[in-house]
Amino acid sequence: MNRTMEQVLVHPDGTTITLLDQGTDEQGEYLIVEHLVMKRGAMNGPHWHPVLTESFTVKEGMMRFIVDGTEQVLGPGQHIKVLPEQVHQFWNESGDQLIAIHEIRPPGNHWNMFKLMHKLTKQNRLNSKGVPRNPLWLGMAWECIDGYIAGPPIIFQRALFGGLARLARSVGYRI
C-alpha cells in the first residue's frame, strides 16, 4: 500500500468522507475512502461504470444495494463487489449512522467527485435529491462519475452532460 495524507470532507449534516489510502499495488491503481453517512436514504441514483470495480465493506449500520436488479442488505463486516458495467445503487438503511469502506479500482475521478459534491453541498447548490441545481455543475458532476446514469442512451449523456461539462470548464468552473 502507498499511504497518503488523510483528507477529510465534512458535510454540514455531519456526513464525512475520509480518504484513507490511494496508490498502486499488484492489482493496479486504487482509492480507498471511508463514508460516515448521517442521513437515511438513497446515496445515489442507479448508474454504472465501464471500467471501475467498486467494493464496499460495512463497518457500522446497514447498507442496501441493488446490483443488476438483485437487492441485498449488508450489515457490519459484510462486503459486496460491484463489477464494471453492473448497474448499481445504494442506500443507508441505518436508524443512525452508516460507516462503510469503499474501494475504487481504478480510482478514475472519484475523489474529485467527492470533493465537488462536498463543495456544492456546503454552498447549498444541490436539490433535495442531491443533484446540482445549476446545469453546468451537473455536467461537471456527471463527468466525475466515470460512468453513466442507468437509462438514458450513452450518446445522449455524452452530448448533453459532456457538453455541459465542456462549457462549464470553458467559462471557468473548477472542482
Side-chain angles (χ1 to χ4, degrees):
M1 273 186 171
N2 300 330
R3 236 23 206 158
T4 61
M5 200 156 103
E6 191 173 273
Q7 296 180 46
V8 181
L9 305 172
V10 180
H11 292 252
D13 71 355
T15 293
T16 304
I17 301 169
T18 305
L19 182 122
L20 298 178
D21 197 11
Q22 66 181 356
T24 305
D25 62 14
E26 63 281 349
Q27 298 173 44
E29 290 182 87
Y30 63 88
L31 170 71
I32 302 172
V33 299
E34 179 182 82
H35 297 276
L36 166 62
V37 181
M38 305 304 291
K39 185 172 69 172
R40 185 179 173 104
M43 297 168 64
N44 57 19
H47 65 284
W48 60 278
H49 309 283
V51 178
L52 303 180
T53 296
E54 295 181 277
S55 300
F56 298 86
T57 302
V58 175
K59 288 177 63 178
E60 183 180 318
M62 302 294 287
M63 193 169 182
R64 179 166 55 109
F65 292 84
I66 296 180
V67 179
D68 280 348
T70 301
E71 185 170 340
Q72 194 173 0
V73 178
L74 303 181
Q78 293 183 304
H79 173 84
I80 191 169
K81 183 180 273 192
V82 181
L83 300 174
E85 299 186 12
Q86 289 187 307
V87 174
H88 58 286
Q89 183 176 10
F90 38 92
W91 294 258
N92 175 9
E93 291 292 316
S94 307
D96 293 326
Q97 66 185 20
L98 165 72
I99 300 175
I101 303 299
H102 180 192
E103 180 179 303
I104 305 107
R105 288 181 178 266
N109 289 311
H110 263 62
W111 185 247
N112 284 335
M113 176 192 57
F114 296 135
K115 290 191 316 187
L116 175 59
M117 297 312 287
H118 176 253
K119 171 183 177 172
L120 297 177
T121 299
K122 287 180 65 171
Q123 295 174 352
N124 196 29
R125 293 184 178 200
L126 304 177
N127 67 22
S128 62
K129 295 185 185 227
V131 176
R133 289 186 190 103
N134 177 320
L136 298 180
W137 282 125
L138 178 61
M140 296 289 285
W142 174 84
E143 193 171 63
C144 289
I145 70 168
D146 296 309
Y148 300 95
I149 300 165
I154 292 171
I155 194 163
F156 171 79
Q157 292 183 57
R158 285 180 181 160
L160 177 63
F161 300 125
L164 288 170
R166 286 187 297 279
L167 178 59
R169 281 191 309 280
S170 75
V171 297
Y173 281 58
R174 299 290 177 261
I175 294 175

